PDB file of all heavy atoms in Angstrom:
ATOM      1  N   PHE A  17      -6.814 -29.615  30.909  1.00 92.00           N
ATOM      2  CA  PHE A  17      -7.314 -28.436  31.019  1.00 92.00           C
ATOM      3  C   PHE A  17      -8.711 -28.249  30.459  1.00 92.00           C
ATOM      4  O   PHE A  17      -9.013 -28.968  29.397  1.00 92.00           O
ATOM      5  CB  PHE A  17      -6.423 -27.344  30.317  1.00 92.00           C
ATOM      6  CG  PHE A  17      -5.020 -27.193  30.914  1.00 92.00           C
ATOM      7  CD1 PHE A  17      -4.011 -27.997  30.535  1.00 92.00           C
ATOM      8  CD2 PHE A  17      -4.835 -26.262  31.962  1.00 92.00           C
ATOM      9  CE1 PHE A  17      -2.730 -27.874  31.072  1.00 92.00           C
ATOM     10  CE2 PHE A  17      -3.592 -26.148  32.541  1.00 92.00           C
ATOM     11  CZ  PHE A  17      -2.553 -26.951  32.134  1.00 92.00           C
ATOM     12  N   PRO A  18      -9.595 -27.462  30.996  1.00 95.00           N
ATOM     13  CA  PRO A  18     -10.947 -27.363  30.502  1.00 95.00           C
ATOM     14  C   PRO A  18     -10.955 -26.994  28.947  1.00 95.00           C
ATOM     15  O   PRO A  18     -11.724 -27.616  28.241  1.00 95.00           O
ATOM     16  CB  PRO A  18     -11.564 -26.206  31.349  1.00 95.00           C
ATOM     17  CG  PRO A  18     -10.900 -26.358  32.625  1.00 95.00           C
ATOM     18  CD  PRO A  18      -9.466 -26.689  32.290  1.00 95.00           C
ATOM     19  N   ILE A  19     -10.085 -26.087  28.537  1.00 96.00           N
ATOM     20  CA  ILE A  19      -9.906 -25.834  27.146  1.00 96.00           C
ATOM     21  C   ILE A  19      -8.580 -26.241  26.680  1.00 96.00           C
ATOM     22  O   ILE A  19      -7.517 -25.769  27.151  1.00 96.00           O
ATOM     23  CB  ILE A  19     -10.080 -24.312  26.839  1.00 96.00           C
ATOM     24  CG1 ILE A  19     -11.500 -23.814  27.179  1.00 96.00           C
ATOM     25  CG2 ILE A  19      -9.823 -23.937  25.336  1.00 96.00           C
ATOM     26  CD1 ILE A  19     -11.758 -22.362  26.922  1.00 96.00           C
ATOM     27  N   SER A  20      -8.492 -27.256  25.839  1.00 94.00           N
ATOM     28  CA  SER A  20      -7.220 -27.835  25.436  1.00 94.00           C
ATOM     29  C   SER A  20      -6.537 -27.039  24.367  1.00 94.00           C
ATOM     30  O   SER A  20      -7.220 -26.247  23.611  1.00 94.00           O
ATOM     31  CB  SER A  20      -7.431 -29.279  24.969  1.00 94.00           C
ATOM     32  OG  SER A  20      -8.410 -29.315  23.898  1.00 94.00           O
ATOM     33  N   ALA A  21      -5.238 -27.218  24.155  1.00 93.00           N
ATOM     34  CA  ALA A  21      -4.560 -26.458  23.165  1.00 93.00           C
ATOM     35  C   ALA A  21      -3.351 -27.301  22.660  1.00 93.00           C
ATOM     36  O   ALA A  21      -2.914 -28.306  23.302  1.00 93.00           O
ATOM     37  CB  ALA A  21      -4.021 -25.151  23.759  1.00 93.00           C
ATOM     38  N   ARG A  22      -2.892 -26.973  21.477  1.00 90.00           N
ATOM     39  CA  ARG A  22      -1.734 -27.594  20.922  1.00 90.00           C
ATOM     40  C   ARG A  22      -0.784 -26.618  20.325  1.00 90.00           C
ATOM     41  O   ARG A  22      -1.238 -25.527  19.912  1.00 90.00           O
ATOM     42  CB  ARG A  22      -2.167 -28.620  19.808  1.00 90.00           C
ATOM     43  CG  ARG A  22      -2.849 -27.960  18.568  1.00 90.00           C
ATOM     44  CD  ARG A  22      -3.109 -28.891  17.488  1.00 90.00           C
ATOM     45  NE  ARG A  22      -3.819 -28.287  16.410  1.00 90.00           N
ATOM     46  CZ  ARG A  22      -3.246 -27.554  15.458  1.00 90.00           C
ATOM     47  NH1 ARG A  22      -1.831 -27.317  15.518  1.00 90.00           N
ATOM     48  NH2 ARG A  22      -3.910 -26.954  14.533  1.00 90.00           N
ATOM     49  N   ARG A  23       0.483 -26.953  20.298  1.00 87.00           N
ATOM     50  CA  ARG A  23       1.472 -26.011  19.703  1.00 87.00           C
ATOM     51  C   ARG A  23       1.280 -25.973  18.212  1.00 87.00           C
ATOM     52  O   ARG A  23       1.128 -26.971  17.527  1.00 87.00           O
ATOM     53  CB  ARG A  23       2.799 -26.473  20.020  1.00 87.00           C
ATOM     54  CG  ARG A  23       3.491 -25.961  21.330  1.00 87.00           C
ATOM     55  CD  ARG A  23       3.714 -24.471  21.126  1.00 87.00           C
ATOM     56  NE  ARG A  23       4.528 -23.979  22.277  1.00 87.00           N
ATOM     57  CZ  ARG A  23       4.858 -22.726  22.463  1.00 87.00           C
ATOM     58  NH1 ARG A  23       4.327 -21.782  21.587  1.00 87.00           N
ATOM     59  NH2 ARG A  23       5.554 -22.282  23.521  1.00 87.00           N
ATOM     60  N   LYS A  24       1.310 -24.813  17.662  1.00 81.00           N
ATOM     61  CA  LYS A  24       1.351 -24.674  16.233  1.00 81.00           C
ATOM     62  C   LYS A  24       2.860 -24.731  15.724  1.00 81.00           C
ATOM     63  O   LYS A  24       3.664 -24.050  16.284  1.00 81.00           O
ATOM     64  CB  LYS A  24       0.772 -23.309  15.796  1.00 81.00           C
ATOM     65  CG  LYS A  24      -0.699 -23.226  16.023  1.00 81.00           C
ATOM     66  CD  LYS A  24      -1.342 -22.062  15.324  1.00 81.00           C
ATOM     67  CE  LYS A  24      -0.865 -20.716  15.829  1.00 81.00           C
ATOM     68  NZ  LYS A  24      -1.471 -19.519  15.221  1.00 81.00           N
ATOM     69  N   VAL A  25       2.986 -25.530  14.685  1.00 73.00           N
ATOM     70  CA  VAL A  25       4.349 -25.673  14.137  1.00 73.00           C
ATOM     71  C   VAL A  25       4.379 -25.189  12.708  1.00 73.00           C
ATOM     72  O   VAL A  25       3.544 -25.581  11.931  1.00 73.00           O
ATOM     73  CB  VAL A  25       4.905 -27.139  14.201  1.00 73.00           C
ATOM     74  CG1 VAL A  25       6.273 -27.270  13.591  1.00 73.00           C
ATOM     75  CG2 VAL A  25       4.855 -27.607  15.678  1.00 73.00           C
ATOM     76  N   SER A  26       5.248 -24.273  12.391  1.00 63.00           N
ATOM     77  CA  SER A  26       5.294 -23.730  11.056  1.00 63.00           C
ATOM     78  C   SER A  26       6.681 -24.101  10.327  1.00 63.00           C
ATOM     79  O   SER A  26       7.742 -23.783  10.924  1.00 63.00           O
ATOM     80  CB  SER A  26       5.274 -22.151  11.097  1.00 63.00           C
ATOM     81  OG  SER A  26       5.523 -21.613   9.828  1.00 63.00           O
ATOM     82  N   ARG A  27       6.679 -24.812   9.338  1.00 63.00           N
ATOM     83  CA  ARG A  27       7.856 -25.099   8.557  1.00 63.00           C
ATOM     84  C   ARG A  27       8.477 -23.853   8.049  1.00 63.00           C
ATOM     85  O   ARG A  27       9.709 -23.647   7.967  1.00 63.00           O
ATOM     86  CB  ARG A  27       7.541 -26.076   7.411  1.00 63.00           C
ATOM     87  CG  ARG A  27       7.079 -27.452   7.910  1.00 63.00           C
ATOM     88  CD  ARG A  27       6.793 -28.301   6.642  1.00 63.00           C
ATOM     89  NE  ARG A  27       6.282 -29.641   7.089  1.00 63.00           N
ATOM     90  CZ  ARG A  27       5.937 -30.632   6.264  1.00 63.00           C
ATOM     91  NH1 ARG A  27       5.967 -30.423   4.968  1.00 63.00           N
ATOM     92  NH2 ARG A  27       5.498 -31.765   6.702  1.00 63.00           N
ATOM     93  N   ARG A  28       7.630 -22.947   7.615  1.00 59.00           N
ATOM     94  CA  ARG A  28       8.109 -21.674   7.020  1.00 59.00           C
ATOM     95  C   ARG A  28       8.970 -20.892   8.022  1.00 59.00           C
ATOM     96  O   ARG A  28      10.053 -20.398   7.684  1.00 59.00           O
ATOM     97  CB  ARG A  28       6.963 -20.844   6.510  1.00 59.00           C
ATOM     98  CG  ARG A  28       7.359 -19.554   5.828  1.00 59.00           C
ATOM     99  CD  ARG A  28       6.041 -18.821   5.424  1.00 59.00           C
ATOM    100  NE  ARG A  28       6.410 -17.526   4.745  1.00 59.00           N
ATOM    101  CZ  ARG A  28       5.490 -16.691   4.350  1.00 59.00           C
ATOM    102  NH1 ARG A  28       4.171 -17.032   4.391  1.00 59.00           N
ATOM    103  NH2 ARG A  28       5.882 -15.534   3.822  1.00 59.00           N
ATOM    104  N   HIS A  29       8.467 -20.858   9.272  1.00 53.00           N
ATOM    105  CA  HIS A  29       9.228 -20.053  10.268  1.00 53.00           C
ATOM    106  C   HIS A  29      10.079 -20.909  11.103  1.00 53.00           C
ATOM    107  O   HIS A  29      10.701 -20.417  12.130  1.00 53.00           O
ATOM    108  CB  HIS A  29       8.167 -19.374  11.182  1.00 53.00           C
ATOM    109  CG  HIS A  29       7.369 -18.317  10.452  1.00 53.00           C
ATOM    110  ND1 HIS A  29       6.097 -18.572   9.900  1.00 53.00           N
ATOM    111  CD2 HIS A  29       7.666 -17.028  10.176  1.00 53.00           C
ATOM    112  CE1 HIS A  29       5.678 -17.479   9.293  1.00 53.00           C
ATOM    113  NE2 HIS A  29       6.565 -16.534   9.433  1.00 53.00           N
ATOM    114  N   GLY A  30      10.245 -22.169  10.746  1.00 56.00           N
ATOM    115  CA  GLY A  30      11.211 -23.033  11.397  1.00 56.00           C
ATOM    116  C   GLY A  30      10.951 -23.369  12.914  1.00 56.00           C
ATOM    117  O   GLY A  30      11.868 -23.325  13.651  1.00 56.00           O
ATOM    118  N   GLY A  31       9.686 -23.618  13.234  1.00 58.00           N
ATOM    119  CA  GLY A  31       9.462 -23.977  14.619  1.00 58.00           C
ATOM    120  C   GLY A  31       8.022 -23.679  15.100  1.00 58.00           C
ATOM    121  O   GLY A  31       7.153 -23.399  14.297  1.00 58.00           O
ATOM    122  N   HIS A  32       7.971 -23.546  16.405  1.00 60.00           N
ATOM    123  CA  HIS A  32       6.662 -23.201  17.087  1.00 60.00           C
ATOM    124  C   HIS A  32       6.267 -21.740  16.837  1.00 60.00           C
ATOM    125  O   HIS A  32       7.071 -20.863  16.930  1.00 60.00           O
ATOM    126  CB  HIS A  32       6.727 -23.448  18.560  1.00 60.00           C
ATOM    127  CG  HIS A  32       6.911 -24.890  18.808  1.00 60.00           C
ATOM    128  ND1 HIS A  32       7.326 -25.419  20.087  1.00 60.00           N
ATOM    129  CD2 HIS A  32       6.674 -26.108  18.101  1.00 60.00           C
ATOM    130  CE1 HIS A  32       7.428 -26.677  20.078  1.00 60.00           C
ATOM    131  NE2 HIS A  32       7.008 -27.090  18.885  1.00 60.00           N
ATOM    132  N   THR A  33       5.004 -21.447  16.562  1.00 70.00           N
ATOM    133  CA  THR A  33       4.604 -20.074  16.283  1.00 70.00           C
ATOM    134  C   THR A  33       3.383 -19.668  17.253  1.00 70.00           C
ATOM    135  O   THR A  33       2.703 -18.701  16.850  1.00 70.00           O
ATOM    136  CB  THR A  33       4.182 -19.903  14.907  1.00 70.00           C
ATOM    137  OG1 THR A  33       3.067 -20.897  14.465  1.00 70.00           O
ATOM    138  CG2 THR A  33       5.389 -20.140  13.927  1.00 70.00           C
ATOM    139  N   GLY A  34       3.113 -20.457  18.236  1.00 85.00           N
ATOM    140  CA  GLY A  34       1.967 -20.120  19.110  1.00 85.00           C
ATOM    141  C   GLY A  34       1.132 -21.361  19.399  1.00 85.00           C
ATOM    142  O   GLY A  34       1.625 -22.524  19.365  1.00 85.00           O
ATOM    143  N   TRP A  35      -0.087 -21.072  19.840  1.00 92.00           N
ATOM    144  CA  TRP A  35      -1.039 -22.134  20.208  1.00 92.00           C
ATOM    145  C   TRP A  35      -2.285 -22.137  19.396  1.00 92.00           C
ATOM    146  O   TRP A  35      -2.729 -21.050  18.922  1.00 92.00           O
ATOM    147  CB  TRP A  35      -1.361 -21.881  21.694  1.00 92.00           C
ATOM    148  CG  TRP A  35      -0.160 -22.099  22.618  1.00 92.00           C
ATOM    149  CD1 TRP A  35       0.579 -21.092  23.074  1.00 92.00           C
ATOM    150  CD2 TRP A  35       0.275 -23.260  23.268  1.00 92.00           C
ATOM    151  NE1 TRP A  35       1.620 -21.563  23.862  1.00 92.00           N
ATOM    152  CE2 TRP A  35       1.398 -22.981  23.992  1.00 92.00           C
ATOM    153  CE3 TRP A  35      -0.140 -24.634  23.133  1.00 92.00           C
ATOM    154  CZ2 TRP A  35       2.118 -23.897  24.721  1.00 92.00           C
ATOM    155  CZ3 TRP A  35       0.536 -25.637  23.824  1.00 92.00           C
ATOM    156  CH2 TRP A  35       1.653 -25.253  24.621  1.00 92.00           C
ATOM    157  N   ALA A  36      -2.898 -23.261  19.284  1.00 92.00           N
ATOM    158  CA  ALA A  36      -4.133 -23.408  18.507  1.00 92.00           C
ATOM    159  C   ALA A  36      -5.015 -24.337  19.230  1.00 92.00           C
ATOM    160  O   ALA A  36      -4.635 -25.135  20.087  1.00 92.00           O
ATOM    161  CB  ALA A  36      -3.848 -23.983  17.121  1.00 92.00           C
ATOM    162  N   THR A  37      -6.358 -24.285  18.984  1.00 94.00           N
ATOM    163  CA  THR A  37      -7.377 -25.146  19.507  1.00 94.00           C
ATOM    164  C   THR A  37      -7.132 -26.550  18.977  1.00 94.00           C
ATOM    165  O   THR A  37      -6.770 -26.719  17.786  1.00 94.00           O
ATOM    166  CB  THR A  37      -8.730 -24.658  19.241  1.00 94.00           C
ATOM    167  OG1 THR A  37      -9.666 -25.676  19.776  1.00 94.00           O
ATOM    168  CG2 THR A  37      -9.026 -24.440  17.830  1.00 94.00           C
ATOM    169  N   THR A  38      -7.373 -27.571  19.809  1.00 93.00           N
ATOM    170  CA  THR A  38      -7.385 -28.977  19.356  1.00 93.00           C
ATOM    171  C   THR A  38      -8.690 -29.379  18.696  1.00 93.00           C
ATOM    172  O   THR A  38      -8.770 -30.479  18.202  1.00 93.00           O
ATOM    173  CB  THR A  38      -7.164 -29.934  20.594  1.00 93.00           C
ATOM    174  OG1 THR A  38      -8.209 -29.767  21.526  1.00 93.00           O
ATOM    175  CG2 THR A  38      -5.851 -29.567  21.282  1.00 93.00           C
ATOM    176  N   LEU A  39      -9.643 -28.492  18.701  1.00 94.00           N
ATOM    177  CA  LEU A  39     -11.010 -28.815  18.169  1.00 94.00           C
ATOM    178  C   LEU A  39     -11.166 -28.508  16.773  1.00 94.00           C
ATOM    179  O   LEU A  39     -12.234 -28.684  16.128  1.00 94.00           O
ATOM    180  CB  LEU A  39     -12.111 -28.132  19.022  1.00 94.00           C
ATOM    181  CG  LEU A  39     -12.098 -28.443  20.551  1.00 94.00           C
ATOM    182  CD1 LEU A  39     -13.163 -27.604  21.157  1.00 94.00           C
ATOM    183  CD2 LEU A  39     -12.165 -29.895  20.819  1.00 94.00           C
ATOM    184  N   SER A  40     -10.151 -27.952  16.145  1.00 91.00           N
ATOM    185  CA  SER A  40     -10.203 -27.558  14.686  1.00 91.00           C
ATOM    186  C   SER A  40     -10.183 -28.883  13.871  1.00 91.00           C
ATOM    187  O   SER A  40      -9.919 -29.966  14.387  1.00 91.00           O
ATOM    188  CB  SER A  40      -9.033 -26.707  14.315  1.00 91.00           C
ATOM    189  OG  SER A  40      -9.171 -26.254  13.022  1.00 91.00           O
ATOM    190  N   PHE A  41     -10.553 -28.721  12.599  1.00 88.00           N
ATOM    191  CA  PHE A  41     -10.555 -29.893  11.703  1.00 88.00           C
ATOM    192  C   PHE A  41     -10.165 -29.412  10.329  1.00 88.00           C
ATOM    193  O   PHE A  41     -10.191 -28.286   9.970  1.00 88.00           O
ATOM    194  CB  PHE A  41     -11.976 -30.549  11.737  1.00 88.00           C
ATOM    195  CG  PHE A  41     -13.084 -29.556  11.353  1.00 88.00           C
ATOM    196  CD1 PHE A  41     -13.475 -29.462  10.082  1.00 88.00           C
ATOM    197  CD2 PHE A  41     -13.737 -28.826  12.360  1.00 88.00           C
ATOM    198  CE1 PHE A  41     -14.493 -28.625   9.651  1.00 88.00           C
ATOM    199  CE2 PHE A  41     -14.777 -27.991  12.015  1.00 88.00           C
ATOM    200  CZ  PHE A  41     -15.123 -27.884  10.691  1.00 88.00           C
ATOM    201  N   ARG A  42      -9.772 -30.365   9.496  1.00 85.00           N
ATOM    202  CA  ARG A  42      -9.350 -30.125   8.133  1.00 85.00           C
ATOM    203  C   ARG A  42     -10.552 -29.850   7.311  1.00 85.00           C
ATOM    204  O   ARG A  42     -11.482 -30.700   7.255  1.00 85.00           O
ATOM    205  CB  ARG A  42      -8.511 -31.237   7.607  1.00 85.00           C
ATOM    206  CG  ARG A  42      -7.906 -30.956   6.210  1.00 85.00           C
ATOM    207  CD  ARG A  42      -7.097 -32.135   5.716  1.00 85.00           C
ATOM    208  NE  ARG A  42      -5.838 -32.364   6.634  1.00 85.00           N
ATOM    209  CZ  ARG A  42      -4.730 -31.696   6.519  1.00 85.00           C
ATOM    210  NH1 ARG A  42      -4.642 -30.800   5.600  1.00 85.00           N
ATOM    211  NH2 ARG A  42      -3.745 -31.900   7.366  1.00 85.00           N
ATOM    212  N   VAL A  43     -10.538 -28.792   6.543  1.00 81.00           N
ATOM    213  CA  VAL A  43     -11.617 -28.428   5.567  1.00 81.00           C
ATOM    214  C   VAL A  43     -11.311 -29.173   4.339  1.00 81.00           C
ATOM    215  O   VAL A  43     -10.215 -29.112   3.729  1.00 81.00           O
ATOM    216  CB  VAL A  43     -11.738 -26.959   5.353  1.00 81.00           C
ATOM    217  CG1 VAL A  43     -12.828 -26.595   4.402  1.00 81.00           C
ATOM    218  CG2 VAL A  43     -12.030 -26.272   6.739  1.00 81.00           C
ATOM    219  N   SER A  44     -12.283 -29.751   3.694  1.00 70.00           N
ATOM    220  CA  SER A  44     -12.177 -30.565   2.491  1.00 70.00           C
ATOM    221  C   SER A  44     -11.875 -29.561   1.345  1.00 70.00           C
ATOM    222  O   SER A  44     -12.368 -28.468   1.265  1.00 70.00           O
ATOM    223  CB  SER A  44     -13.366 -31.378   2.198  1.00 70.00           C
ATOM    224  OG  SER A  44     -14.416 -30.507   1.762  1.00 70.00           O
ATOM    225  N   LYS A  45     -11.054 -29.983   0.366  1.00 59.00           N
ATOM    226  CA  LYS A  45     -10.680 -29.113  -0.696  1.00 59.00           C
ATOM    227  C   LYS A  45     -11.854 -28.727  -1.570  1.00 59.00           C
ATOM    228  O   LYS A  45     -11.902 -27.735  -2.201  1.00 59.00           O
ATOM    229  CB  LYS A  45      -9.590 -29.887  -1.585  1.00 59.00           C
ATOM    230  CG  LYS A  45      -8.297 -30.119  -0.859  1.00 59.00           C
ATOM    231  CD  LYS A  45      -7.580 -28.811  -0.588  1.00 59.00           C
ATOM    232  CE  LYS A  45      -6.249 -28.999   0.087  1.00 59.00           C
ATOM    233  NZ  LYS A  45      -5.584 -27.771   0.396  1.00 59.00           N
ATOM    234  N   ALA A  46     -12.879 -29.695  -1.574  1.00 56.00           N
ATOM    235  CA  ALA A  46     -14.072 -29.481  -2.364  1.00 56.00           C
ATOM    236  C   ALA A  46     -14.786 -28.189  -1.901  1.00 56.00           C
ATOM    237  O   ALA A  46     -15.180 -27.429  -2.658  1.00 56.00           O
ATOM    238  CB  ALA A  46     -14.988 -30.650  -2.345  1.00 56.00           C
ATOM    239  N   ILE A  47     -14.839 -28.042  -0.579  1.00 49.00           N
ATOM    240  CA  ILE A  47     -15.450 -26.889   0.017  1.00 49.00           C
ATOM    241  C   ILE A  47     -14.610 -25.648  -0.191  1.00 49.00           C
ATOM    242  O   ILE A  47     -15.196 -24.589  -0.484  1.00 49.00           O
ATOM    243  CB  ILE A  47     -15.751 -27.084   1.479  1.00 49.00           C
ATOM    244  CG1 ILE A  47     -16.808 -28.174   1.684  1.00 49.00           C
ATOM    245  CG2 ILE A  47     -16.179 -25.825   2.233  1.00 49.00           C
ATOM    246  CD1 ILE A  47     -17.126 -28.506   3.128  1.00 49.00           C
ATOM    247  N   GLU A  48     -13.346 -25.814  -0.066  1.00 49.00           N
ATOM    248  CA  GLU A  48     -12.406 -24.668  -0.264  1.00 49.00           C
ATOM    249  C   GLU A  48     -12.599 -24.115  -1.624  1.00 49.00           C
ATOM    250  O   GLU A  48     -12.623 -22.854  -1.852  1.00 49.00           O
ATOM    251  CB  GLU A  48     -11.023 -25.040   0.015  1.00 49.00           C
ATOM    252  CG  GLU A  48     -10.677 -25.225   1.460  1.00 49.00           C
ATOM    253  CD  GLU A  48      -9.213 -25.579   1.631  1.00 49.00           C
ATOM    254  OE1 GLU A  48      -8.463 -25.691   0.593  1.00 49.00           O
ATOM    255  OE2 GLU A  48      -8.718 -25.761   2.777  1.00 49.00           O
ATOM    256  N   GLY A  49     -12.712 -25.022  -2.659  1.00 52.00           N
ATOM    257  CA  GLY A  49     -12.884 -24.494  -4.048  1.00 52.00           C
ATOM    258  C   GLY A  49     -14.208 -23.944  -4.413  1.00 52.00           C
ATOM    259  O   GLY A  49     -14.344 -23.026  -5.234  1.00 52.00           O
ATOM    260  N   ARG A  50     -15.232 -24.393  -3.631  1.00 54.00           N
ATOM    261  CA  ARG A  50     -16.553 -23.911  -4.008  1.00 54.00           C
ATOM    262  C   ARG A  50     -16.936 -22.606  -3.357  1.00 54.00           C
ATOM    263  O   ARG A  50     -17.679 -21.822  -3.863  1.00 54.00           O
ATOM    264  CB  ARG A  50     -17.539 -25.018  -3.505  1.00 54.00           C
ATOM    265  CG  ARG A  50     -18.994 -24.715  -3.943  1.00 54.00           C
ATOM    266  CD  ARG A  50     -19.886 -25.911  -3.740  1.00 54.00           C
ATOM    267  NE  ARG A  50     -20.168 -26.151  -2.344  1.00 54.00           N
ATOM    268  CZ  ARG A  50     -19.755 -27.142  -1.677  1.00 54.00           C
ATOM    269  NH1 ARG A  50     -18.937 -28.051  -2.190  1.00 54.00           N
ATOM    270  NH2 ARG A  50     -19.981 -27.335  -0.375  1.00 54.00           N
ATOM    271  N   ARG A  51     -16.444 -22.394  -2.127  1.00 59.00           N
ATOM    272  CA  ARG A  51     -16.781 -21.127  -1.348  1.00 59.00           C
ATOM    273  C   ARG A  51     -15.537 -20.410  -0.918  1.00 59.00           C
ATOM    274  O   ARG A  51     -14.636 -20.941  -0.398  1.00 59.00           O
ATOM    275  CB  ARG A  51     -17.582 -21.502  -0.126  1.00 59.00           C
ATOM    276  CG  ARG A  51     -19.056 -22.039  -0.566  1.00 59.00           C
ATOM    277  CD  ARG A  51     -19.827 -22.258   0.733  1.00 59.00           C
ATOM    278  NE  ARG A  51     -21.186 -22.723   0.433  1.00 59.00           N
ATOM    279  CZ  ARG A  51     -22.084 -22.935   1.377  1.00 59.00           C
ATOM    280  NH1 ARG A  51     -21.815 -22.759   2.587  1.00 59.00           N
ATOM    281  NH2 ARG A  51     -23.254 -23.352   0.975  1.00 59.00           N
ATOM    282  N   ASN A  52     -15.589 -19.107  -1.108  1.00 65.00           N
ATOM    283  CA  ASN A  52     -14.484 -18.241  -0.719  1.00 65.00           C
ATOM    284  C   ASN A  52     -14.884 -17.519   0.520  1.00 65.00           C
ATOM    285  O   ASN A  52     -15.993 -17.002   0.702  1.00 65.00           O
ATOM    286  CB  ASN A  52     -14.197 -17.209  -1.819  1.00 65.00           C
ATOM    287  CG  ASN A  52     -13.228 -16.174  -1.306  1.00 65.00           C
ATOM    288  OD1 ASN A  52     -12.041 -16.492  -0.999  1.00 65.00           O
ATOM    289  ND2 ASN A  52     -13.713 -14.883  -1.221  1.00 65.00           N
ATOM    290  N   THR A  53     -13.999 -17.470   1.532  1.00 67.00           N
ATOM    291  CA  THR A  53     -14.216 -16.702   2.706  1.00 67.00           C
ATOM    292  C   THR A  53     -13.705 -15.295   2.521  1.00 67.00           C
ATOM    293  O   THR A  53     -12.456 -15.193   2.398  1.00 67.00           O
ATOM    294  CB  THR A  53     -13.548 -17.302   3.996  1.00 67.00           C
ATOM    295  OG1 THR A  53     -14.098 -18.618   4.196  1.00 67.00           O
ATOM    296  CG2 THR A  53     -13.774 -16.504   5.193  1.00 67.00           C
ATOM    297  N   PRO A  54     -14.397 -14.263   2.485  1.00 71.00           N
ATOM    298  CA  PRO A  54     -13.932 -12.904   2.068  1.00 71.00           C
ATOM    299  C   PRO A  54     -13.039 -12.390   3.256  1.00 71.00           C
ATOM    300  O   PRO A  54     -13.377 -12.622   4.353  1.00 71.00           O
ATOM    301  CB  PRO A  54     -15.176 -12.086   2.004  1.00 71.00           C
ATOM    302  CG  PRO A  54     -16.199 -12.792   2.775  1.00 71.00           C
ATOM    303  CD  PRO A  54     -15.922 -14.252   2.687  1.00 71.00           C
ATOM    304  N   ASN A  55     -12.114 -11.568   2.959  1.00 72.00           N
ATOM    305  CA  ASN A  55     -11.322 -10.827   3.810  1.00 72.00           C
ATOM    306  C   ASN A  55     -11.985  -9.577   4.278  1.00 72.00           C
ATOM    307  O   ASN A  55     -13.096  -9.241   3.717  1.00 72.00           O
ATOM    308  CB  ASN A  55      -9.909 -10.585   3.405  1.00 72.00           C
ATOM    309  CG  ASN A  55      -9.793  -9.786   2.075  1.00 72.00           C
ATOM    310  OD1 ASN A  55     -10.660  -8.855   1.853  1.00 72.00           O
ATOM    311  ND2 ASN A  55      -8.898 -10.050   1.185  1.00 72.00           N
ATOM    312  N   ASP A  56     -11.401  -8.750   5.151  1.00 72.00           N
ATOM    313  CA  ASP A  56     -12.029  -7.546   5.659  1.00 72.00           C
ATOM    314  C   ASP A  56     -12.259  -6.513   4.566  1.00 72.00           C
ATOM    315  O   ASP A  56     -13.376  -5.911   4.520  1.00 72.00           O
ATOM    316  CB  ASP A  56     -11.194  -6.932   6.740  1.00 72.00           C
ATOM    317  CG  ASP A  56     -11.068  -7.781   7.970  1.00 72.00           C
ATOM    318  OD1 ASP A  56     -12.002  -8.619   8.270  1.00 72.00           O
ATOM    319  OD2 ASP A  56     -10.004  -7.758   8.679  1.00 72.00           O
ATOM    320  N   ASP A  57     -11.325  -6.351   3.704  1.00 75.00           N
ATOM    321  CA  ASP A  57     -11.452  -5.374   2.563  1.00 75.00           C
ATOM    322  C   ASP A  57     -12.610  -5.774   1.712  1.00 75.00           C
ATOM    323  O   ASP A  57     -13.399  -4.899   1.224  1.00 75.00           O
ATOM    324  CB  ASP A  57     -10.166  -5.291   1.821  1.00 75.00           C
ATOM    325  CG  ASP A  57      -9.056  -4.584   2.629  1.00 75.00           C
ATOM    326  OD1 ASP A  57      -9.394  -3.892   3.524  1.00 75.00           O
ATOM    327  OD2 ASP A  57      -7.835  -4.840   2.328  1.00 75.00           O
ATOM    328  N   GLN A  58     -12.666  -6.985   1.426  1.00 81.00           N
ATOM    329  CA  GLN A  58     -13.776  -7.538   0.469  1.00 81.00           C
ATOM    330  C   GLN A  58     -15.193  -7.359   1.110  1.00 81.00           C
ATOM    331  O   GLN A  58     -16.131  -6.911   0.468  1.00 81.00           O
ATOM    332  CB  GLN A  58     -13.605  -9.022   0.147  1.00 81.00           C
ATOM    333  CG  GLN A  58     -12.417  -9.237  -0.741  1.00 81.00           C
ATOM    334  CD  GLN A  58     -12.056 -10.706  -0.905  1.00 81.00           C
ATOM    335  OE1 GLN A  58     -12.356 -11.514   0.014  1.00 81.00           O
ATOM    336  NE2 GLN A  58     -11.547 -11.108  -2.035  1.00 81.00           N
ATOM    337  N   VAL A  59     -15.232  -7.602   2.474  1.00 81.00           N
ATOM    338  CA  VAL A  59     -16.500  -7.346   3.184  1.00 81.00           C
ATOM    339  C   VAL A  59     -16.948  -5.888   3.146  1.00 81.00           C
ATOM    340  O   VAL A  59     -18.008  -5.544   2.853  1.00 81.00           O
ATOM    341  CB  VAL A  59     -16.444  -7.854   4.691  1.00 81.00           C
ATOM    342  CG1 VAL A  59     -17.614  -7.448   5.427  1.00 81.00           C
ATOM    343  CG2 VAL A  59     -16.249  -9.380   4.661  1.00 81.00           C
TER     344      VAL A  59
END
């Protein structure tokens, strides 16, 4: 398909929970600890 997708699997919910892009990547823990992404209320 022009835009690929993969099934999201959640251990918490015990199975598939929808679809996600295959183009995502793992964010390093170093970046996660250094910068916070604000939620809507914080913005």
Side-chain angles (χ1 to χ4, degrees):
F17 293 91
I19 296 179
S20 57
R22 61 174 178 81
R23 268 293 191 185
K24 291 193 296 183
V25 180
S26 172
R27 295 179 181 178
R28 181 179 179 183
H29 295 95
H32 295 161
T33 58
W35 296 90
T37 174
T38 62
L39 303 181
S40 187
F41 56 90
R42 186 179 296 277
V43 178
S44 70
K45 294 296 182 180
I47 292 178
E48 285 183 357
R50 187 170 69 250
R51 292 186 177 182
N52 170 63
T53 299
N55 58 35
D56 296 330
D57 291 338
Q58 290 171 331
V59 170

